[in-house]
Amino acid sequence: MGAEGAGRRKDDHVRLAAAQQVEPAVRNGFDDIAFVHHALAGTDADRVDLGVEVAGGRWRVPFHINAMTGGSAATGRINRDLAIAARETGVAVASGSLSAALDDPSLLPTFRVLRDENPTGVVWANVGVERSADDARRAVDALGADALQVHLNSVQETVMPEGSRRFSSWPASLEAIRSAVEVPVVVKEVGFGLSARTLTRLHDLGIAYADVSGRGGTDFVRIENARRPGGDFGYLAGWGQSAVECLLDAPDPAPVLLASGGVRTPLDVVRALSLGARAVGVSGTFLAAVLEGGVDALVVRLREWTTHTRALLAVLGAESPAALVSTDLVIDGRTARFCATRDIDITAWARRSDAAPTPERSRHDR
Ligand SMILES: Cc1cc2nc3c(=O)[nH]c(=O)nc-3n(C[C@H](O)[C@H](O)[C@H](O)COP(=O)(O)O)c2cc1C
């Protein structure tokens, strides 16, 4: 496809993704996760440090603006707004796939703006797994990127009118990219989830970070199907695992996990962190904010999410995101059924805060 076609595709993606955001709220996997409330377990919000180490960098907050745009004039303007909001708030930001600019360097400024407007912030580049090792290096260099996201999107490619149907070379291509680039590689899905088997495979391929990016938020089956003249792939909507299911099913060892896909609120961020994500990516929800109110609206939103995330950690008695792993989680609904079929013990997740009981203490508790 020519660069003009790639640019039009990006504009379509933004328009169709934004349309999904204004639909009435739908339940997703995050709604299946509730915290057991312990009324005396809280801490002080000003004792909470939200900082996390991700891919060799120290982030101020455990959420980030995930991969979306670039490649057309309109999406270049969105990238500019994302970059300014990221700079003003210290939030990390990932670029949309640089494929269009790798094929047509005249489009590079629509991506490069992410770094130009945010020279000292955390900026990640993004390419599809089918790109060459040399392309991957060029993408990192173009943004002075701190890490490289490599996306796996076989379902999207299948429904995309101009998409690929050739996936067998992906593991070898991923390995070539990983050994060629000098920054950390973060492998991500685009909204269909990374299974336990995939995470094990990634670990075996030497991938240190993976964003499970699951079902329940932006749905690229519906986006690409709307771009097909016949709309004949609609029946695939809902394919894949939610981020929550992926986190619950994650193997050990596995890459360090990031989560995204359907994150709507700071509560969803805290749920994902409690399920073991190091950090949480947000695309559709932040896209809607920037399209509606520009850079100012996104800055307000990012500050609000920072304050709220800290407040929720205080209620849960967690002075850091890592401390959330001893919160007690009640798992319900479709996610509980997923756990039953995958032989995941949900009762253990509901009792994580129990201190190892001594015989006296458990007798007393009874
Ligand atoms: C408009 C738009 C464009 C996207 N483009 C990319 C992309 O170029 N590369 C990529 O890895 N993911 C891309 N994504 C996928 C997101 O990074 C994320 O995995 C997915 O949207 C699920 O998160 P969400 O529910 O918060 O939107 C895009 C998402 C949106 C909304």
Side-chain angles (χ1 to χ4, degrees):
M1 170 191 293
E4 201 181 303
R8 202 175 317 119
R9 177 168 78 213
K10 262 304 176 196
D11 292 344
D12 286 350
H13 287 170
V14 167
R15 178 175 51 79
L16 294 163
Q20 289 184 5
Q21 289 293 319
V22 298
E23 291 167 357
V26 279
R27 277 182 64 83
N28 71 23
F30 288 107
D31 295 307
D32 288 339
I33 304 297
F35 289 94
V36 176
H37 174 58
H38 299 301
L40 278 177
T43 186
D44 304 342
D46 57 16
R47 287 166 68 159
V48 174
D49 177 0
L50 290 178
V52 283
E53 298 280 340
V54 186
R58 178 86 184 157
W59 293 8
R60 279 189 54 232
V61 294
F63 54 84
H64 63 112
I65 304 170
N66 214 353
M68 286 188 278
T69 66
S72 66
T75 57
R77 287 192 291 275
I78 294 172
N79 270 350
R80 183 168 177 278
D81 285 350
L82 298 180
I84 295 171
R87 180 189 71 210
E88 293 303 308
T89 58
V91 172
V93 59
S95 157
S97 169
L98 278 112
S99 278
L102 293 169
D103 295 336
D104 175 0
S106 75
L107 296 173
L108 256 183
T110 68
F111 294 94
R112 174 81 210 172
V113 65
L114 283 167
R115 176 53 85 198
D116 293 342
E117 292 289 351
N118 186 20
T120 59
V122 175
V123 178
W124 287 1
N126 182 298
V127 293
V129 65
E130 79 292 348
R131 299 304 303 210
S132 69
D134 190 46
D135 283 350
R137 265 195 306 260
R138 285 168 58 212
V140 171
D141 290 347
L143 297 191
D146 301 282
L148 175 69
Q149 287 183 328
V150 179
H151 66 260
L152 308 178
N153 66 337
S154 57
V155 182
Q156 180 188 12
E157 291 287 344
T158 298
V159 183
M160 190 190 297
E162 62 280 39
S164 165
R165 300 288 162 90
R166 300 168 66 88
F167 311 125
S168 67
S169 59
W170 283 12
S173 179
L174 188 53
E175 225 171 354
I177 292 173
R178 183 196 56 77
S179 26
V181 299
E182 277 164 17
V183 295
V185 167
V186 181
V187 172
K188 75 184 282 291
E189 242 291 348
V190 300
F192 303 98
L194 297 175
S195 67
R197 176 182 297 208
T198 310
L199 291 169
T200 297
R201 187 91 192 264
L202 291 174
H203 180 263
D204 293 346
L205 289 168
I207 299 297
Y209 299 89
D211 175 351
V212 298
S213 205
R215 182 197 70 228
T218 303
D219 183 344
F220 268 93
V221 163
R222 291 172 53 212
I223 289 176
E224 299 299 355
N225 196 50
R227 299 178 59 243
R228 294 178 75 81
D232 49 338
F233 261 119
Y235 59 84
L236 273 186
W239 180 279
Q241 293 91 262
S242 68
V244 163
E245 290 166 348
C246 297
L247 293 169
L248 286 164
D249 204 16
D252 184 16
V256 171
L257 296 178
L258 310 180
S260 68
V263 175
R264 305 151 297 182
T265 63
L267 177 57
D268 290 344
V269 171
V270 177
R271 285 163 160 153
L273 296 170
S274 299
L275 289 163
R278 178 71 60 87
V280 181
V282 187
S283 294
T285 305
F286 289 163
L287 178 68
V290 87
L291 291 179
E292 204 180 305
V295 65
D296 293 345
L298 184 57
V299 167
V300 167
R301 184 68 63 92
L302 293 171
R303 291 199 173 124
E304 177 190 286
W305 279 43
T306 302
T307 312
H308 283 208
T309 303
R310 179 175 289 112
L312 295 178
L313 263 67
V315 168
L316 291 165
E319 292 185 2
S320 69
L324 288 167
V325 297
S326 49
T327 52
D328 296 324
L329 302 175
V330 177
I331 300 168
D332 198 6
R334 180 172 173 172
T335 306
R337 292 196 297 280
F338 174 88
C339 290
T341 58
R342 296 284 294 168
D343 203 18
I344 297 162
D345 177 13
I346 65 172
T347 61
W349 288 85
R351 305 205 64 96
R352 295 191 299 179
S353 71
D354 290 7
T358 62
E360 285 73 18
R361 171 151 171 227
S362 36
R363 219 176 304 121
H364 176 77
D365 286 349
R366 261 183 255 128

